[in-house]
Amino acid sequence: MKTLLTGSEGLVGSTIDAQVRVCGRKPPLPGYKEYGRRWVDLRIPKDTLSLFHETKPTHVIHCAARVGGLAANINHMGEFFYDNMMINLNVLEAARRAKVKKVVSFMSTCIFPDDVEYPITEDKLHLGEPHPSNYGYSYAKRMVEVQSRAYNEQYGISVSGSDVTFNTNYITVAPTNIYGPKDNFELENSHVLPALIHKCYLAKKHNTPFVVWGSGKPLREFIYSEDVGELTQILLEEYGESSPVILSTSEEHSIRDIVIAIADAVDFQGHIIYDDTKPDGQYRKPTCNDKLMSIVPGYKFTPLEEGIQKTVDWFIENYENCRK
Ligand code: GFB
């Protein structure tokens, strides 16, 4: 099994990279010809094809994407659509041409319809418009599920006489809000949890108020990056259906709950302000994780307080060099 990991520098990719042996980005792995590490622009078809031609993986964990929080999605709607469409089209087509058996591609729970009966389940993916704050990203990500399903249908199995060959078995996962060490902690364009950790750290350092966007009332489900890494490996090896799997704790927390947990973890005693000139975005997107739990019964998720403390400790320890 030779696994190519795309997006290995990102939050999920770097976590998985630390957890599993991957090829295609580290020279050399035992039993694998030396392959120099180079950054590949996966939006360019020929560069993506040559990456697969050179690394010849049997499996792909496809984490690479153009991602960002609420503000980034609102301000870069067209780029988020184009970049993610090109990355996904190129990676899956290059995988197919390189005869890759298994690909697991990442979507997200924010791409599900905004007006849908809750809780969100995998079968509701295409039952309506995504939230207006991130429809560019959402439609591009939904297409990776369509492309995976279409490839499995056309190329999945080939029969000649009595011989049956299993070819593409491409699956998709839809994690809820992922957080953890090695995230992007940039103040304007990152996701809520890392952005608030950075803001709380600066508020404590400069004795200024800790400013939170919106009302703090919206609800979110959070999953720790190391749990996503473990679950992805299990699904890569044990799950083979075309329909997606939601990766979620299915535990909702208000933004205010998160603010309090972060203030505790940073030991911030100062003033907290909710800036209602900033958007709340989607009010909630509660998910049902029954399908995931049927595949990994009894899986123990990292408790939110523990994950936040680990992330805060990592951020403070790596403040000089982390993405911020
Ligand atoms: O992670 P986030 O930016 O995006 O969270 P989504 C936005 C929520 O956090 C809104 C509140 O309710 C914001 O009002 N919030 C409060 C903040 N303070 C801040 C802050 O300083 N920064 C940010 N960013 N938010 C994401 C998608 O949607 O869902 C991702 O953008 C991904 O691509 C993820 O799919 C699952 O949670 O709204």
Side-chain angles (χ1 to χ4, degrees):
M1 178 175 173
K2 287 186 211 167
T3 305
L4 173 68
L5 173 64
T6 72
S8 55
E9 301 303 312
L11 167 61
V12 182
S14 60
T15 303
I16 292 175
D17 185 34
Q19 291 173 327
V20 297
R21 292 195 63 75
V22 293
C23 70
R25 64 178 296 280
K26 280 186 186 138
L29 292 176
Y32 186 72
K33 74 175 177 54
E34 183 156 326
Y35 174 72
R37 165 162 167 59
R38 62 186 166 86
W39 187 80
V40 175
D41 187 340
L42 298 172
R43 295 171 301 181
I44 300 170
K46 72 176 174 52
D47 288 4
T48 312
L49 287 168
S50 61
L51 171 68
F52 279 75
H53 180 70
E54 287 173 36
T55 55
K56 297 182 177 48
T58 58
H59 294 67
V60 176
I61 300 177
H62 174 35
C63 299
R66 172 78 186 266
V67 298
L70 178 62
N73 272 274
I74 291 172
N75 299 325
H76 301 278
M77 196 67 75
E79 292 167 61
F80 271 66
F81 179 77
Y82 178 82
D83 288 353
N84 287 300
M85 281 298 294
M86 293 308 290
I87 289 167
N88 294 331
L89 283 169
N90 291 335
V91 167
L92 263 61
E93 178 58 10
R96 179 189 72 78
R97 292 191 195 185
K99 300 194 181 343
V100 172
K101 288 285 181 213
K102 195 76 174 278
V103 179
V104 51
S105 299
F106 276 71
M107 301 192 295
S108 159
T109 55
C110 81
I111 73 172
F112 281 80
D114 183 38
D115 179 12
V116 73
E117 188 190 339
Y118 290 146
I120 293 171
T121 49
E122 288 84 357
D123 58 319
K124 296 172 182 171
L125 180 60
H126 298 289
L127 296 186
E129 285 277 326
H131 191 267
S133 66
N134 62 15
Y135 71 88
Y137 173 83
S138 297
Y139 274 120
K141 280 291 189 177
R142 288 189 189 182
M143 290 307 110
V144 78
E145 185 273 334
V146 171
Q147 189 178 0
S148 299
R149 192 163 20 111
Y151 278 26
N152 292 341
E153 187 168 320
Q154 181 173 350
Y155 307 111
I157 294 177
S158 44
V159 180
S160 75
S162 59
D163 292 336
V164 178
T165 312
F166 293 94
N167 307 309
T168 60
N169 178 210
Y170 295 176
I171 64 173
T172 54
V173 293
T176 186
N177 292 52
I178 307 170
Y179 73 99
K182 304 179 190 170
D183 202 346
N184 170 7
F185 292 83
E186 192 193 340
L187 292 172
E188 285 307 311
N189 290 317
S190 63
H191 292 116
V192 55
L193 212 142
L196 290 181
I197 286 174
H198 191 174
K199 286 178 170 182
C200 191
Y201 169 82
L202 294 175
K204 179 179 179 183
K205 186 175 178 181
H206 302 303
N207 194 21
T208 50
F210 174 15
V211 180
V212 181
W213 292 351
S215 65
K217 293 188 182 126
L219 302 169
R220 291 293 184 271
E221 296 169 345
F222 294 94
I223 186 167
Y224 190 54
S225 54
E226 289 180 12
D227 296 348
V228 173
E230 280 177 357
L231 292 167
T232 302
Q233 293 173 61
I234 294 167
L235 292 171
L236 182 69
E237 287 161 25
E238 296 180 17
Y239 182 72
E241 294 169 33
S242 277
S243 64
V245 181
I246 288 173
L247 305 185
S248 172
T249 60
S250 292
E251 278 173 19
E252 282 191 298
H253 299 273
S254 71
I255 299 298
R256 283 175 186 263
D257 294 338
I258 299 302
V259 165
I260 291 160
I262 289 171
D264 289 348
V266 174
D267 190 20
F268 173 74
Q269 319 281 340
H271 192 39
I272 298 172
I273 294 175
Y274 287 88
D275 174 3
D276 57 12
T277 66
K278 295 282 187 182
D280 269 346
Q282 219 167 342
Y283 177 62
R284 62 190 293 240
K285 36 186 176 174
T287 63
C288 167
N289 68 358
D290 288 354
K291 184 170 182 180
L292 174 65
M293 300 320 286
S294 71
I295 301 166
V296 283
Y299 184 82
K300 293 275 178 281
F301 296 100
T302 301
L304 186 66
E305 289 71 18
E306 180 187 328
I308 288 178
Q309 190 64 65
K310 283 181 175 176
T311 308
V312 166
D313 295 347
W314 183 89
F315 174 72
I316 294 170
E317 201 177 308
N318 295 274
Y319 184 74
E320 286 315 309
N321 304 314
C322 72
R323 290 185 289 163
K324 59 183 188 293

